[in-house]
Amino acid sequence: MAQLTRAGSGELAYNAGNICNHYYTLDFLQHRVPELEAKFEHHVAKKKIKHVDVASGDLVIPTKPNGIKLERFVFDVFPHVERMAVLEVARDDQFSPLKNAPGSGVDCPETARRDLLAQCVRFAEAAGATVQGSESEPAFEISPLVSYGGEGLEALRGKTLAGDQFITDIESVQTV
């Protein structure tokens, strides 16, 4: 289902996610949610649940789901709010999840770092710089004190940037 694409365009049919940045009024949370909560259905999540083998006393760490967890989500209240707004952003620039252990290869510290460095490369290239290095190994990081969203990098136009640097000052950028 996650890879289902739209006919013709090839775009993902389900291409949106929710990073759970929700803002509710205190009044809504204190007065409205308690009366709604009992009406919400549980979501079933299949989980790998550690447990102790009662015969041996050993901790068992399963490799595949062995249990069910019943969950409720904060977004279950969406249909019950008076006003709601959704902000759609470019995933490449605004979201790189960090929810797995180092070395797992997906949504882990290494992929979050890779995505951040790739964003810095895009910012520099959009400002007119050439970046030394490959796309698979971004060359450098731009401090958010220098540029938060790619702004203020005009001084990089026409320069070829050296790899492996942390840009903390636009005037001290290392070039090739």
Side-chain angles (χ1 to χ4, degrees), residues 13 31 42 66 71 78 97 114 123-124 126 135 140 153 169:
H31 299 107
H42 285 94
N66 65 334
E71 302 176 328
F78 285 0
R114 179 203 65 209
F123 288 166
E135 201 172 295
F140 58 86
L153 300 175
D169 181 342

Side-chain angles (χ1 to χ4, degrees), residues 40-127:
F40 293 146
E41 292 186 28
H42 285 94
H43 303 274
V44 174
K46 295 177 182 176
K47 301 285 186 176
K48 293 184 264 183
I49 302 171
K50 296 178 188 177
H51 60 280
V52 175
D53 182 315
V54 292
S56 68
D58 294 334
L59 177 65
V60 177
I61 302 173
T63 57
K64 57 185 177 181
N66 65 334
I68 293 175
K69 180 180 176 186
L70 299 177
E71 302 176 328
R72 291 186 178 153
F73 300 123
V74 67
F75 50 78
D76 289 336
V77 300
F78 285 0
H80 306 281
V81 298
E82 289 179 24
R83 292 180 312 231
M84 185 172 131
V86 175
L87 178 62
E88 184 176 354
V89 297
R91 182 183 177 105
D92 287 351
D93 284 328
Q94 301 293 328
F95 182 64
S96 183
L98 177 55
K99 57 185 181 177
N100 294 321
S104 61
V106 178
D107 299 341
C108 63
E110 296 87 359
T111 58
R113 181 177 190 275
R114 179 203 65 209
D115 293 346
L116 175 65
L117 298 180
Q119 180 186 54
C120 292
V121 169
R122 288 192 305 276
F123 288 166
E125 289 175 340

Side-chain angles (χ1 to χ4, degrees), residues 4-17:
L4 184 64
T5 57
R6 294 183 179 162
S9 70
E11 291 180 2
L12 290 175
Y14 303 102
N15 65 349

Side-chain angles (χ1 to χ4, degrees), residues 114-162:
R114 179 203 65 209
D115 293 346
L116 175 65
L117 298 180
Q119 180 186 54
C120 292
V121 169
R122 288 192 305 276
F123 288 166
E125 289 175 340
T130 301
V131 178
Q132 182 184 47
S134 69
E135 201 172 295
S136 64
E137 293 183 30
F140 58 86
E141 181 176 350
I142 301 170
S143 166
L145 298 174
V146 173
S147 178
Y148 183 75
E151 76 288 346
L153 300 175
E154 296 79 16
L156 300 180
R157 182 174 305 285
K159 294 183 179 179
T160 300
L161 304 182

